[in-house]
Amino acid sequence: MLTSAVSAVADPSSIRLTTLTHGGGCGCKIAPAVLREALAGVSGGFPHPDLLVGSATADDAAVFRLNDQQALVATTDFFMPIVDDPRDFGRIAATNAISDVYAMGATPILALAILGMPINTLPLEVIRRIMEGGADVCRTAGIALAGGHSIDSPEPIYGLAVMGLVAPAQLKRNDTARPGDVLILGKPLGVGVLSAAFKKGLLDTAGYAELLAVTTQLNQVGQALGALAGVHAMTDVTGFGLLGHLLEICRGSGLAASVQFSALPILPTALQLTPQGIGPGAIERNWASYGHEVQLDPNLPDWAWRLLCDPQTSGGLLVSCAPETVGSVLESFHGADFAEAARIGMLASGMPGVTVQEL
């Protein structure tokens, strides 16, 4: 049965992975409000004195103290295709999964593959290329890809479970920001807009190059940022958009944020497409979940909120740091080829929420 299904497709390159799914990338995430309701009252399991980070703060990974010098960082991330090229899909999914470890200031050491594939629909060569793309990224990151688990699934799914190590003193959480901290974003926004345009056949070659460059750039700079004492909190911007993940910092730290829209790094093609209403459905779901916690400057373009809620796949690190550390943080980003990393706002005492200003 499998042999006949596989041989029925003579050219694996003719397969469009994005047509086999209802969503793609981190836009597949369950909406924040729905997720909070689903998890309400769910026990976090047996409390353990060495569990440094669990599920309480919606952080990027779990952290378990092994001894005074080392803590284990563990995370998992997987999704459906955001692009059609199988190797590119594998690269993007792996880069995105490893990012959660970097966002904790940690060094990844080991990964396990998570694979769900419609084996009667996809040629084995396509599945192989997806896994090769993920393996390529693991080699670049210098981590072992030591196996994994696979199932026969109606839609293609790929990702990684990743483990890393961090010195407890250098651990970066998303709930330890301080009043007066400066916010710095490492990658430009707009990935969700570009991926939606791609799925509709509206993305040109230049736009696809932008999409691929951002989503396959490893956030390895997180290791260097973890060593900076002036970096108080850190997360990565993924499926809940910039506003959603910034709000997690605000809620966890009990602070209010102000963001300067004109300072945000944004992909050029996304700036062209967003005013046309192009974007994934997750934009509306995100805004419905947390828009009541956001104040928008009335002088902003009427489409600005869409970019702010745009689900990023393998997005940039969002750093909360002391004002005197801004230079070192930006130097770390720029030295690691994050050319568009920029200061985008500040945190202050106040009711948790985000104000977005035009200038």
Side-chain angles (χ1 to χ4, degrees):
M1 181 67 177
L2 176 59
T3 303
S4 61
V6 171
S7 61
V9 181
D11 181 12
S13 65
S14 67
I15 297 290
R16 288 201 62 196
L17 292 175
T18 55
T19 65
L20 303 178
T21 69
H22 71 282
C26 287
C28 297
K29 277 189 173 182
I30 297 173
V34 176
L35 185 60
R36 284 197 299 271
E37 184 176 352
L39 295 177
V42 177
S43 171
F46 179 74
H48 197 289
D50 288 319
L51 183 64
L52 303 182
V53 180
S55 60
T57 58
D59 219 319
D60 296 294
V63 183
F64 190 88
R65 179 171 46 213
L66 301 176
N67 50 55
D68 291 340
Q69 290 76 42
Q70 289 183 315
L72 177 70
V73 179
T75 184
T76 182
D77 211 317
F78 53 89
F79 46 62
M80 292 166 281
I82 188 175
V83 294
D84 289 330
D85 183 276
R87 186 181 290 271
D88 286 347
F89 170 42
R91 291 169 61 207
I92 293 168
T95 304
N96 178 77
I98 299 170
S99 181
D100 285 342
V101 174
Y102 292 135
M104 307 300 291
T107 300
I109 59 171
L110 177 70
L112 300 172
I114 300 167
L115 185 74
M117 291 290 150
I119 60 172
N120 289 328
T121 302
L122 283 182
L124 295 181
E125 177 61 24
V126 170
I127 299 172
R128 186 178 298 112
R129 289 178 188 174
I130 293 171
M131 294 188 289
E132 287 174 348
D136 286 346
V137 169
C138 289
R139 279 191 290 271
T140 300
I143 66 177
L145 182 55
H149 185 68
S150 62
I151 62 169
D152 185 358
S153 168
E155 295 183 317
I157 296 169
Y158 180 71
L160 299 175
V162 189
M163 284 146 278
L165 294 173
V166 67
Q170 294 184 359
L171 172 64
K172 304 303 179 186
R173 304 168 55 122
N174 71 354
D175 64 345
T176 49
R178 302 179 188 179
D181 274 2
V182 174
L183 295 168
I184 296 174
L185 179 62
K187 289 184 182 182
L189 302 174
V191 167
V193 172
L194 299 194
S195 65
F198 176 81
K199 192 164 186 176
K200 295 176 181 178
L202 300 176
L203 191 66
D204 60 18
T205 302
Y208 187 80
E210 292 174 21
L211 172 65
L212 204 59
V214 169
T215 55
T216 59
Q217 184 177 20
L218 283 163
N219 279 321
Q220 288 174 301
V221 67
Q223 297 171 89
L225 296 173
L228 296 177
V231 172
H232 297 144
M234 189 158 60
T235 189
D236 63 347
V237 179
T238 55
F240 298 157
L242 173 63
L243 288 181
H245 293 285
L246 177 53
L247 279 166
E248 289 177 342
I249 290 178
C250 292
R251 296 184 197 114
S253 305
L255 299 173
S258 60
V259 171
Q260 184 179 341
F261 186 80
S262 60
L264 293 174
I266 301 171
L267 292 169
T269 302
L271 273 178
Q272 299 171 19
L273 297 175
T274 305
Q276 302 175 37
I278 296 173
I283 289 177
E284 286 80 9
R285 294 195 297 273
N286 283 342
W287 182 253
S289 295
Y290 53 64
H292 61 284
E293 299 175 79
V294 180
Q295 292 186 358
L296 299 177
D297 187 327
N299 294 315
L300 286 170
D302 58 8
W303 46 264
W305 66 274
R306 295 183 61 82
L307 270 175
L308 294 164
C309 297
D310 185 45
Q312 304 305 287
T313 296
S314 190
L317 295 178
L318 179 60
V319 178
S320 173
C321 66
E324 62 270 21
T325 311
V326 169
S328 298
V329 171
L330 287 174
E331 182 179 348
S332 295
F333 271 121
H334 296 156
D337 294 327
F338 292 87
E340 297 187 66
R343 172 177 177 160
I344 65 166
M346 295 191 66
L347 291 167
S349 299
M351 181 73 67
V354 179
T355 299
V356 184
Q357 303 165 335
E358 182 183 27
L359 299 175

CSV table of all heavy atoms in Angstrom, one decimal, residues 89-147:
chain,number,residue,atom,x,y,z
A,89,PHE,N,11.4,23.6,5.2
A,89,PHE,CA,10.5,23.4,6.3
A,89,PHE,C,11.2,22.8,7.5
A,89,PHE,O,11.1,23.2,8.6
A,89,PHE,CB,9.4,22.5,5.8
A,89,PHE,CG,8.5,22.0,7.0
A,89,PHE,CD1,8.1,22.8,8.0
A,89,PHE,CD2,8.0,20.6,7.0
A,89,PHE,CE1,7.3,22.3,9.0
A,89,PHE,CE2,7.2,20.2,8.0
A,89,PHE,CZ,6.8,21.0,9.0
A,90,GLY,N,12.1,21.8,7.2
A,90,GLY,CA,12.8,21.1,8.3
A,90,GLY,C,13.8,22.1,9.0
A,90,GLY,O,13.9,22.1,10.2
A,91,ARG,N,14.4,22.9,8.2
A,91,ARG,CA,15.4,23.9,8.8
A,91,ARG,C,14.6,24.9,9.6
A,91,ARG,O,15.1,25.3,10.7
A,91,ARG,CB,16.1,24.6,7.6
A,91,ARG,CG,17.1,23.8,6.9
A,91,ARG,CD,17.6,24.5,5.6
A,91,ARG,NE,18.3,25.7,5.9
A,91,ARG,CZ,18.3,26.8,5.1
A,91,ARG,NH1,17.7,26.8,4.0
A,91,ARG,NH2,19.0,27.9,5.5
A,92,ILE,N,13.5,25.4,9.2
A,92,ILE,CA,12.8,26.4,9.9
A,92,ILE,C,12.2,25.8,11.2
A,92,ILE,O,12.3,26.5,12.3
A,92,ILE,CB,11.6,27.0,9.1
A,92,ILE,CG1,12.1,27.8,7.9
A,92,ILE,CG2,10.6,27.8,9.9
A,92,ILE,CD1,11.1,28.1,6.8
A,93,ALA,N,11.7,24.6,11.2
A,93,ALA,CA,11.1,24.0,12.4
A,93,ALA,C,12.2,23.8,13.4
A,93,ALA,O,12.0,24.0,14.6
A,93,ALA,CB,10.4,22.7,12.0
A,94,ALA,N,13.4,23.3,13.0
A,94,ALA,CA,14.4,23.0,13.9
A,94,ALA,C,15.0,24.3,14.5
A,94,ALA,O,15.2,24.4,15.7
A,94,ALA,CB,15.5,22.2,13.2
A,95,THR,N,15.2,25.3,13.7
A,95,THR,CA,15.7,26.6,14.2
A,95,THR,C,14.7,27.2,15.2
A,95,THR,O,15.2,27.7,16.3
A,95,THR,CB,15.8,27.6,13.0
A,95,THR,OG1,16.7,27.0,12.0
A,95,THR,CG2,16.4,28.9,13.5
A,96,ASN,N,13.4,27.1,15.0
A,96,ASN,CA,12.4,27.6,15.9
A,96,ASN,C,12.5,26.9,17.2
A,96,ASN,O,12.4,27.5,18.3
A,96,ASN,CB,11.1,27.5,15.2
A,96,ASN,CG,9.9,27.9,16.1
A,96,ASN,OD1,9.7,29.1,16.3
A,96,ASN,ND2,9.2,27.0,16.7
A,97,ALA,N,12.6,25.5,17.2
A,97,ALA,CA,12.6,24.8,18.4
A,97,ALA,C,13.8,25.0,19.3
A,97,ALA,O,13.7,25.2,20.5
A,97,ALA,CB,12.5,23.3,18.1
A,98,ILE,N,14.9,25.1,18.7
A,98,ILE,CA,16.2,25.4,19.4
A,98,ILE,C,16.2,26.8,20.1
A,98,ILE,O,16.8,27.0,21.1
A,98,ILE,CB,17.4,25.2,18.5
A,98,ILE,CG1,17.5,23.7,18.0
A,98,ILE,CG2,18.7,25.5,19.3
A,98,ILE,CD1,18.5,23.5,16.9
A,99,SER,N,15.4,27.7,19.4
A,99,SER,CA,15.4,29.1,19.9
A,99,SER,C,15.0,29.2,21.4
A,99,SER,O,15.4,30.0,22.1
A,99,SER,CB,14.5,29.9,19.0
A,99,SER,OG,14.5,31.3,19.5
A,100,ASP,N,14.0,28.3,21.8
A,100,ASP,CA,13.5,28.4,23.2
A,100,ASP,C,14.7,28.2,24.2
A,100,ASP,O,14.6,28.7,25.3
A,100,ASP,CB,12.5,27.3,23.4
A,100,ASP,CG,11.1,27.7,22.7
A,100,ASP,OD1,10.9,28.9,22.5
A,100,ASP,OD2,10.3,26.8,22.6
A,101,VAL,N,15.6,27.4,23.9
A,101,VAL,CA,16.8,27.1,24.8
A,101,VAL,C,17.7,28.4,24.8
A,101,VAL,O,18.1,28.9,25.9
A,101,VAL,CB,17.6,25.9,24.3
A,101,VAL,CG1,18.9,25.8,25.2
A,101,VAL,CG2,16.8,24.7,24.5
A,102,TYR,N,17.9,29.0,23.6
A,102,TYR,CA,18.7,30.2,23.6
A,102,TYR,C,18.0,31.3,24.4
A,102,TYR,O,18.6,32.2,25.0
A,102,TYR,CB,18.9,30.7,22.1
A,102,TYR,CG,19.8,29.8,21.3
A,102,TYR,CD1,19.4,29.4,20.0
A,102,TYR,CD2,21.0,29.3,21.8
A,102,TYR,CE1,20.3,28.6,19.3
A,102,TYR,CE2,21.8,28.5,21.1
A,102,TYR,CZ,21.4,28.1,19.8
A,102,TYR,OH,22.2,27.3,19.0
A,103,ALA,N,16.7,31.3,24.3
A,103,ALA,CA,15.9,32.4,25.0
A,103,ALA,C,16.0,32.3,26.5
A,103,ALA,O,15.7,33.3,27.2
A,103,ALA,CB,14.4,32.3,24.6
A,104,MET,N,16.5,31.2,27.0
A,104,MET,CA,16.7,31.1,28.5
A,104,MET,C,18.2,31.4,28.8
A,104,MET,O,18.6,31.2,30.0
A,104,MET,CB,16.4,29.7,28.9
A,104,MET,CG,15.0,29.2,28.5
A,104,MET,SD,13.6,30.1,29.2
A,104,MET,CE,13.7,29.8,30.9
A,105,GLY,N,19.0,31.8,27.8
A,105,GLY,CA,20.4,32.1,28.1
A,105,GLY,C,21.2,30.8,28.1
A,105,GLY,O,22.4,30.9,28.6
A,106,ALA,N,20.7,29.7,27.6
A,106,ALA,CA,21.3,28.4,27.7
A,106,ALA,C,22.0,28.0,26.4
A,106,ALA,O,21.8,28.6,25.4
A,106,ALA,CB,20.3,27.4,28.2
A,107,THR,N,22.7,26.9,26.6
A,107,THR,CA,23.4,26.3,25.4
A,107,THR,C,22.7,24.9,25.1
A,107,THR,O,22.7,24.0,26.0
A,107,THR,CB,24.9,26.0,25.8
A,107,THR,OG1,25.5,27.2,26.1
A,107,THR,CG2,25.6,25.3,24.6
A,108,PRO,N,22.2,24.7,23.9
A,108,PRO,CA,21.5,23.5,23.6
A,108,PRO,C,22.6,22.4,23.4
A,108,PRO,O,23.7,22.6,22.9
A,108,PRO,CB,20.8,23.8,22.3
A,108,PRO,CG,21.6,24.9,21.7
A,108,PRO,CD,22.1,25.7,22.8
A,109,ILE,N,22.2,21.2,23.8
A,109,ILE,CA,23.2,20.0,23.7
A,109,ILE,C,22.6,18.8,23.1
A,109,ILE,O,23.4,18.0,22.5
A,109,ILE,CB,23.7,19.6,25.1
A,109,ILE,CG1,22.6,19.2,26.0
A,109,ILE,CG2,24.5,20.7,25.8
A,109,ILE,CD1,23.0,18.6,27.4
A,110,LEU,N,21.3,18.7,23.0
A,110,LEU,CA,20.7,17.4,22.6
A,110,LEU,C,19.3,17.7,22.0
A,110,LEU,O,18.6,18.5,22.6
A,110,LEU,CB,20.6,16.4,23.7
A,110,LEU,CG,19.9,15.1,23.4
A,110,LEU,CD1,20.8,14.2,22.5
A,110,LEU,CD2,19.7,14.3,24.7
A,111,ALA,N,18.9,17.0,20.9
A,111,ALA,CA,17.6,17.2,20.4
A,111,ALA,C,17.0,15.8,20.0
A,111,ALA,O,17.8,14.9,19.6
A,111,ALA,CB,17.6,18.1,19.1
A,112,LEU,N,15.7,15.7,20.0
A,112,LEU,CA,15.0,14.5,19.6
A,112,LEU,C,13.9,15.0,18.6
A,112,LEU,O,13.3,16.0,18.8
A,112,LEU,CB,14.3,13.8,20.7
A,112,LEU,CG,15.2,13.3,21.8
A,112,LEU,CD1,14.4,12.8,23.0
A,112,LEU,CD2,16.1,12.2,21.3
A,113,ALA,N,13.8,14.3,17.5
A,113,ALA,CA,12.9,14.7,16.4
A,113,ALA,C,11.4,14.3,16.8
A,113,ALA,O,11.2,13.2,17.3
A,113,ALA,CB,13.3,14.1,15.1
A,114,ILE,N,10.5,15.2,16.4
A,114,ILE,CA,9.1,14.9,16.5
A,114,ILE,C,8.5,14.9,15.1
A,114,ILE,O,8.6,15.9,14.4
A,114,ILE,CB,8.4,15.9,17.4
A,114,ILE,CG1,9.0,15.9,18.8
A,114,ILE,CG2,6.8,15.7,17.4
A,114,ILE,CD1,8.6,17.1,19.6
A,115,LEU,N,8.0,13.8,14.6
A,115,LEU,CA,7.6,13.6,13.2
A,115,LEU,C,6.2,13.0,13.1
A,115,LEU,O,6.0,11.9,13.6
A,115,LEU,CB,8.6,12.8,12.5
A,115,LEU,CG,8.5,12.6,11.0
A,115,LEU,CD1,8.9,13.9,10.3
A,115,LEU,CD2,9.3,11.4,10.5
A,116,GLY,N,5.3,13.7,12.4
A,116,GLY,CA,4.0,13.2,12.1
A,116,GLY,C,3.8,13.4,10.6
A,116,GLY,O,3.8,14.5,10.1
A,117,MET,N,3.6,12.4,9.8
A,117,MET,CA,3.5,12.5,8.4
A,117,MET,C,2.4,11.6,7.8
A,117,MET,O,2.2,10.5,8.3
A,117,MET,CB,4.9,12.0,7.7
A,117,MET,CG,6.0,13.0,8.0
A,117,MET,SD,5.8,14.5,7.1
A,117,MET,CE,6.7,15.7,8.3
A,118,PRO,N,1.7,12.1,6.8
A,118,PRO,CA,0.7,11.3,6.1
A,118,PRO,C,1.4,10.4,5.1
A,118,PRO,O,1.7,10.7,3.9
A,118,PRO,CB,-0.1,12.4,5.3
A,118,PRO,CG,0.8,13.5,5.1
A,118,PRO,CD,1.7,13.5,6.3
A,119,ILE,N,1.8,9.2,5.5
A,119,ILE,CA,2.7,8.4,4.8
A,119,ILE,C,2.1,7.8,3.5
A,119,ILE,O,2.8,7.4,2.6
A,119,ILE,CB,3.2,7.2,5.6
A,119,ILE,CG1,2.1,6.3,6.1
A,119,ILE,CG2,4.0,7.7,6.8
A,119,ILE,CD1,2.5,5.0,6.8
A,120,ASN,N,0.8,7.9,3.4
A,120,ASN,CA,0.1,7.4,2.1
A,120,ASN,C,-0.1,8.6,1.2
A,120,ASN,O,-0.6,8.4,0.1
A,120,ASN,CB,-1.2,6.8,2.4
A,120,ASN,CG,-1.1,5.4,3.1
A,120,ASN,OD1,-0.1,4.7,2.8
A,120,ASN,ND2,-2.0,5.1,3.9
A,121,THR,N,0.4,9.8,1.6
A,121,THR,CA,0.3,11.0,0.7
A,121,THR,C,1.6,11.5,0.3
A,121,THR,O,1.8,11.9,-0.9
A,121,THR,CB,-0.5,12.1,1.5
A,121,THR,OG1,-1.8,11.6,1.8
A,121,THR,CG2,-0.7,13.3,0.6
A,122,LEU,N,2.5,11.5,1.2
A,122,LEU,CA,3.9,12.1,0.9
A,122,LEU,C,4.9,11.1,0.5
A,122,LEU,O,5.0,10.0,1.2
A,122,LEU,CB,4.4,12.8,2.2
A,122,LEU,CG,3.8,14.2,2.5
A,122,LEU,CD1,4.5,14.8,3.7
A,122,LEU,CD2,3.9,15.2,1.3
A,123,PRO,N,5.6,11.3,-0.6
A,123,PRO,CA,6.7,10.4,-0.9
A,123,PRO,C,7.8,10.3,0.2
A,123,PRO,O,8.0,11.3,0.9
A,123,PRO,CB,7.3,11.0,-2.2
A,123,PRO,CG,6.2,11.9,-2.7
A,123,PRO,CD,5.5,12.4,-1.5
A,124,LEU,N,8.4,9.2,0.4
A,124,LEU,CA,9.4,9.1,1.4
A,124,LEU,C,10.5,10.1,1.2
A,124,LEU,O,11.2,10.5,2.2
A,124,LEU,CB,9.9,7.7,1.5
A,124,LEU,CG,8.9,6.6,1.9
A,124,LEU,CD1,9.5,5.2,1.9
A,124,LEU,CD2,8.3,6.9,3.2
A,125,GLU,N,10.8,10.4,0.0
A,125,GLU,CA,11.9,11.3,-0.3
A,125,GLU,C,11.6,12.7,0.3
A,125,GLU,O,12.5,13.4,0.8
A,125,GLU,CB,12.1,11.5,-1.8
A,125,GLU,CG,13.2,12.5,-2.2
A,125,GLU,CD,14.6,12.1,-1.7
A,125,GLU,OE1,14.8,11.0,-1.4
A,125,GLU,OE2,15.4,13.1,-1.5
A,126,VAL,N,10.3,13.1,0.2
A,126,VAL,CA,10.0,14.4,0.8
A,126,VAL,C,10.2,14.4,2.3
A,126,VAL,O,10.7,15.3,2.9
A,126,VAL,CB,8.5,14.7,0.5
A,126,VAL,CG1,8.0,15.9,1.3
A,126,VAL,CG2,8.4,15.0,-1.0
A,127,ILE,N,9.7,13.3,3.0
A,127,ILE,CA,9.9,13.1,4.4
A,127,ILE,C,11.3,13.1,4.8
A,127,ILE,O,11.8,13.8,5.8
A,127,ILE,CB,9.2,11.8,4.9
A,127,ILE,CG1,7.7,11.9,4.6
A,127,ILE,CG2,9.4,11.6,6.4
A,127,ILE,CD1,6.9,10.6,4.9
A,128,ARG,N,12.1,12.4,4.0
A,128,ARG,CA,13.6,12.4,4.2
A,128,ARG,C,14.2,13.8,4.2
A,128,ARG,O,15.0,14.2,5.0
A,128,ARG,CB,14.3,11.5,3.2
A,128,ARG,CG,15.7,11.2,3.5
A,128,ARG,CD,16.3,10.2,2.5
A,128,ARG,NE,15.7,8.9,2.6
A,128,ARG,CZ,14.9,8.4,1.6
A,128,ARG,NH1,14.7,9.1,0.5
A,128,ARG,NH2,14.4,7.2,1.8
A,129,ARG,N,13.8,14.6,3.2
A,129,ARG,CA,14.3,15.9,3.1
A,129,ARG,C,14.0,16.8,4.2
A,129,ARG,O,14.8,17.7,4.7
A,129,ARG,CB,13.9,16.6,1.8
A,129,ARG,CG,14.5,15.9,0.5
A,129,ARG,CD,13.9,16.6,-0.7
A,129,ARG,NE,14.3,15.9,-2.0
A,129,ARG,CZ,13.9,16.2,-3.2
A,129,ARG,NH1,13.0,17.2,-3.3
A,129,ARG,NH2,14.3,15.5,-4.2
A,130,ILE,N,12.8,16.7,4.8
A,130,ILE,CA,12.4,17.4,6.0
A,130,ILE,C,13.3,17.1,7.1
A,130,ILE,O,13.8,18.0,7.8
A,130,ILE,CB,10.9,17.1,6.4
A,130,ILE,CG1,9.9,17.6,5.3
A,130,ILE,CG2,10.6,17.7,7.7
A,130,ILE,CD1,8.5,17.1,5.5
A,131,MET,N,13.6,15.8,7.3
A,131,MET,CA,14.4,15.4,8.4
A,131,MET,C,15.9,15.9,8.2
A,131,MET,O,16.6,16.2,9.1
A,131,MET,CB,14.3,13.9,8.6
A,131,MET,CG,13.0,13.5,9.1
A,131,MET,SD,12.9,11.7,9.6
A,131,MET,CE,13.0,10.9,8.0
A,132,GLU,N,16.3,15.8,6.9
A,132,GLU,CA,17.7,16.3,6.6
A,132,GLU,C,17.8,17.8,6.9
A,132,GLU,O,18.9,18.2,7.4
A,132,GLU,CB,18.0,16.0,5.2
A,132,GLU,CG,18.2,14.5,4.9
A,132,GLU,CD,18.4,14.3,3.4
A,132,GLU,OE1,18.1,15.2,2.6
A,132,GLU,OE2,18.8,13.2,3.0
A,133,GLY,N,16.8,18.6,6.6
A,133,GLY,CA,16.8,20.0,6.9
A,133,GLY,C,17.0,20.2,8.4
A,133,GLY,O,17.8,21.1,8.8
A,134,GLY,N,16.2,19.5,9.2
A,134,GLY,CA,16.4,19.6,10.7
A,134,GLY,C,17.8,19.2,11.2
A,134,GLY,O,18.3,19.8,12.0
A,135,ALA,N,18.3,18.1,10.6
A,135,ALA,CA,19.6,17.6,11.0
A,135,ALA,C,20.7,18.6,10.6
A,135,ALA,O,21.7,18.8,11.4
A,135,ALA,CB,19.9,16.3,10.3
A,136,ASP,N,20.5,19.3,9.5
A,136,ASP,CA,21.5,20.4,9.1
A,136,ASP,C,21.6,21.5,10.1
A,136,ASP,O,22.7,21.9,10.5
A,136,ASP,CB,21.1,21.0,7.7
A,136,ASP,CG,21.3,20.1,6.6
A,136,ASP,OD1,22.1,19.1,6.7
A,136,ASP,OD2,20.8,20.3,5.5
A,137,VAL,N,20.4,21.9,10.6
A,137,VAL,CA,20.4,22.9,11.6
A,137,VAL,C,21.0,22.5,13.0
A,137,VAL,O,21.8,23.2,13.6
A,137,VAL,CB,19.0,23.4,11.9
A,137,VAL,CG1,18.9,24.3,13.1
A,137,VAL,CG2,18.4,24.1,10.7
A,138,CYS,N,20.8,21.2,13.3
A,138,CYS,CA,21.4,20.7,14.6
A,138,CYS,C,22.9,20.7,14.4
A,138,CYS,O,23.6,21.0,15.4
A,138,CYS,CB,20.8,19.3,14.9
A,138,CYS,SG,19.1,19.3,15.4
A,139,ARG,N,23.4,20.3,13.3
A,139,ARG,CA,24.8,20.3,13.1
A,139,ARG,C,25.4,21.7,13.2
A,139,ARG,O,26.4,21.9,13.8
A,139,ARG,CB,25.2,19.7,11.7
A,139,ARG,CG,25.2,18.2,11.6
A,139,ARG,CD,25.8,17.7,10.4
A,139,ARG,NE,24.9,17.9,9.2
A,139,ARG,CZ,24.0,17.1,8.8
A,139,ARG,NH1,23.8,15.9,9.5
A,139,ARG,NH2,23.2,17.4,7.8
A,140,THR,N,24.7,22.7,12.6
A,140,THR,CA,25.2,24.1,12.7
A,140,THR,C,25.2,24.6,14.1
A,140,THR,O,26.1,25.3,14.6
A,140,THR,CB,24.2,25.0,11.9
A,140,THR,OG1,24.3,24.6,10.5
A,140,THR,CG2,24.7,26.4,11.9
A,141,ALA,N,24.2,24.2,14.9
A,141,ALA,CA,24.1,24.5,16.3
A,141,ALA,C,25.0,23.8,17.2
A,141,ALA,O,25.3,24.1,18.4
A,141,ALA,CB,22.7,24.4,16.8
A,142,GLY,N,25.6,22.7,16.6
A,142,GLY,CA,26.6,21.9,17.4
A,142,GLY,C,25.9,21.0,18.4
A,142,GLY,O,26.5,20.7,19.5
A,143,ILE,N,24.7,20.5,18.1
A,143,ILE,CA,24.0,19.6,19.1
A,143,ILE,C,23.8,18.3,18.4
A,143,ILE,O,23.6,18.1,17.2
A,143,ILE,CB,22.7,20.2,19.6
A,143,ILE,CG1,21.7,20.4,18.4
A,143,ILE,CG2,23.0,21.6,20.2
A,143,ILE,CD1,20.4,20.9,18.9
A,144,ALA,N,23.6,17.3,19.3
A,144,ALA,CA,23.4,15.9,18.8
A,144,ALA,C,21.9,15.7,18.5
A,144,ALA,O,21.0,16.1,19.4
A,144,ALA,CB,23.8,14.9,19.9
A,145,LEU,N,21.5,15.2,17.4
A,145,LEU,CA,20.2,14.8,17.1
A,145,LEU,C,20.1,13.3,17.3
A,145,LEU,O,20.6,12.5,16.5
A,145,LEU,CB,19.8,15.1,15.6
A,145,LEU,CG,18.4,14.8,15.2
A,145,LEU,CD1,17.3,15.4,16.1
A,145,LEU,CD2,18.2,15.3,13.8
A,146,ALA,N,19.5,12.9,18.4
A,146,ALA,CA,19.7,11.5,18.9
A,146,ALA,C,18.5,10.6,18.8
A,146,ALA,O,18.3,9.7,19.6
A,146,ALA,CB,20.2,11.6,20.4
A,147,GLY,N,17.7,10.8,17.8
A,147,GLY,CA,16.5,10.0,17.6
A,147,GLY,C,15.3,10.8,17.7
A,147,GLY,O,15.2,12.0,17.3
